[in-house]
Amino acid sequence: MTTYLVPLVLIGVLISAGVYLLLERNLTRMLLGLLLIGNAINLLILTVGGTSGNPPIRGRTSDGDTTTADPLAQGMILTAIVITMGIAAFVLALTYRSYRLNTAEEVGDDPEDTRVSQLTAEDASALDEDRPHHEPARDTELPDELDALPGTEESK
């Protein structure tokens, strides 16, 4: 099997650009990053799917090929396209809703996270004291007095 270098380099470039865009705070760039990664995964599935060949229909031939094309890769790519478009529609709706509420497209810091990160060590220890402490889980492998029902002891 021959591996072509150009599609693999293109896949690497698309995935790295997609990850770079996903790390931005702008929701539109995040959407573009998701779309780039989705397209890169589609190219990866197509590349891994093997060489082209005859259609996967009995009795059909194409250009005298001796092998039959794998239809699974094409079906997976069609499914991945639908999933990517669904995710893109969701992120686009989320971006629109965020823009309507805040008139800004940037994802801001959560005020509660900012407040917690600015707590001093003294304040953090005071918060820990207010929390209820849970007992550690007991070992369930050991027999327990509640495991046996009363009156079911065998007297042999």
Side-chain angles (χ1 to χ4, degrees):
M1 184 174 135
T2 305
T3 304
Y4 298 103
L5 189 62
V6 174
L8 295 178
V9 170
L10 181 64
I11 290 167
V13 167
L14 285 175
I15 286 181
S16 61
V19 168
Y20 174 75
L21 288 173
L22 273 176
L23 295 176
E24 295 287 327
R25 303 288 285 202
N26 193 334
L27 286 173
T28 304
R29 291 185 182 186
M30 293 169 105
L31 174 64
L32 290 175
L34 281 172
L35 292 175
L36 282 178
I37 288 177
N39 288 330
I41 297 301
N42 292 341
L43 284 175
L44 180 66
I45 292 172
L46 187 65
T47 303
V48 172
T51 59
S52 61
N54 290 324
I57 302 170
R58 182 176 289 233
R60 299 287 176 113
T61 59
S62 173
D63 294 335
D65 289 330
T66 57
T67 61
T68 303
D70 186 15
L72 182 64
Q74 297 170 10
M76 287 178 65
I77 289 172
L78 286 174
T79 305
I81 289 171
V82 171
I83 291 170
T84 302
M85 289 302 117
I87 291 172
F90 174 71
V91 172
L92 196 59
L94 188 67
T95 304
Y96 177 72
R97 179 73 176 155
S98 175
Y99 182 76
R100 291 282 301 216
L101 289 176
N102 300 330
T103 64
E105 200 176 351
E106 297 287 322
V107 178
D109 292 331
D110 187 26
E112 183 66 19
D113 287 343
T114 306
R115 185 187 67 79
V116 169
S117 66
Q118 293 174 348
L119 288 177
T120 62
E122 194 174 291
D123 294 337
S125 64
L127 284 177
D128 286 339
E129 290 173 0
D130 293 341
R131 288 191 187 134
H133 295 287
H134 299 288
E135 293 181 20
R138 61 186 176 98
D139 187 13
T140 58
E141 296 297 321
L142 298 175
D144 196 6
E145 63 270 1
L146 297 177
D147 288 343
L149 294 174
T152 58
E153 295 177 7
E154 294 180 7
S155 56
K156 287 187 179 181

